[in-house]
Amino acid sequence: TTTPVSPNVFQNVFLAALVGFLLAVGAAILLEYLDNTLKSSEDVERVVHLPTLANIGRFQGAPNPTDNLVALNEPRSMITEAYRMLRTNLQFTMLDQTEPRILVTSALPGEGKTTTAANLAIATALTGRKVILIDTDLRRPSMHKLFGIQNRIGLTNLLLDDNLAIESALAETPVAGLLVLPSGPLPPNPAELVGSKAMPRLPSCSSTS
């Protein structure tokens, strides 16, 4: 006969493709099984057993830091409406608190905690409440840049000097009822300073860390 007995090219290619497909499917299933990251608000609720108060979409940072104050500059945008929803839901969760304190933080830098704290403070102040926004990020503070204020005197000065009046460190903003306490000069030991006994003496605030 003129037909070769082996190799069977078609059979070998088919088996190789089948094995490769099965390996790819198996690897995908294994990766999905080992993946414990949180991808949605439902994932977060399942893990922490707490409700989601609002979903705020990510938006591109503006060249001018003050443009990130969307709750002030773009009152009719969808992002501003999301901040209003967050404000309203937070107020419902703190109905029994006369002077509520809100801490805005994140696991990594650059996740938007400063922008969120600033816009949440604006949305709250626009309801007629008095708000003090405190920048407790003593490594890379940026709250003063968002509001275009000086950072010579701020939180660190108050923590180190018991005789310094808080009024001397507060800065006014374009929003009625909203005052900002910037970080002040950066200390060599930010964690120890924020965790000191002087910190609880500060007024109610929305802060970043």
Side-chain angles (χ1 to χ4, degrees):
T1 179
T2 58
T3 303
V5 177
S6 63
N8 190 328
V9 177
F10 176 79
Q11 180 180 0
N12 291 345
V13 170
F14 176 77
L15 290 176
L18 180 61
V19 171
F21 174 76
L22 292 176
L23 288 175
V25 171
I29 294 175
L30 179 62
L31 290 174
E32 180 67 22
Y33 177 76
L34 297 176
D35 185 10
N36 59 358
T37 57
L38 304 178
K39 298 183 176 65
S40 65
S41 58
E42 290 77 12
D43 293 339
V44 175
E45 291 179 7
R46 186 183 67 254
V47 172
V48 302
H49 305 291
L50 293 172
T52 299
L53 299 180
N55 288 314
I56 300 173
R58 183 182 294 272
F59 59 94
Q60 187 68 31
N64 186 358
T66 58
D67 293 338
N68 289 317
L69 302 178
V70 292
L72 177 62
N73 302 324
E74 303 175 31
R76 297 187 178 181
S77 69
M78 294 183 62
I79 295 178
T80 300
E81 185 59 33
Y83 282 120
R84 292 195 191 102
M85 180 179 296
L86 176 59
R87 173 204 66 200
T88 302
N89 289 335
L90 281 172
Q91 289 175 347
F92 275 120
T93 63
M94 300 182 297
L95 287 175
D96 58 339
Q97 300 183 29
T98 57
E99 294 185 353
R101 298 189 180 197
I102 302 172
L103 173 66
V104 180
T105 188
S106 65
L108 298 173
E111 292 185 334
K113 58 182 177 294
T114 300
T115 301
T116 297
N119 283 287
L120 176 59
I122 292 173
T124 303
L126 289 176
T127 64
R129 283 176 169 263
K130 292 183 178 180
V131 180
I132 296 180
L133 178 62
I134 302 178
D135 191 353
T136 59
D137 187 343
L138 302 185
R139 288 186 173 89
R140 297 195 307 172
S142 55
M143 196 67 71
H144 60 286
K145 297 178 182 178
L146 261 65
F147 287 92
I149 59 179
Q150 297 294 327
N151 195 31
R152 291 192 300 268
I153 301 177
L155 175 63
T156 53
N157 303 93
L158 293 175
L159 295 178
L160 295 174
D161 187 356
D162 294 337
N163 297 320
L164 183 64
I166 186 173
E167 290 77 11
S168 62
L170 294 175
E172 294 184 353
T173 69
V175 183
L178 174 59
L179 298 175
V180 174
L181 177 61
S183 67
L186 300 186
N189 55 340
E192 291 81 0
L193 193 58
V194 172
S196 66
K197 295 181 179 180
M199 193 68 184
R201 296 199 300 267
L202 295 177
S204 303
C205 62
S206 169
S207 62
T208 63
S209 177

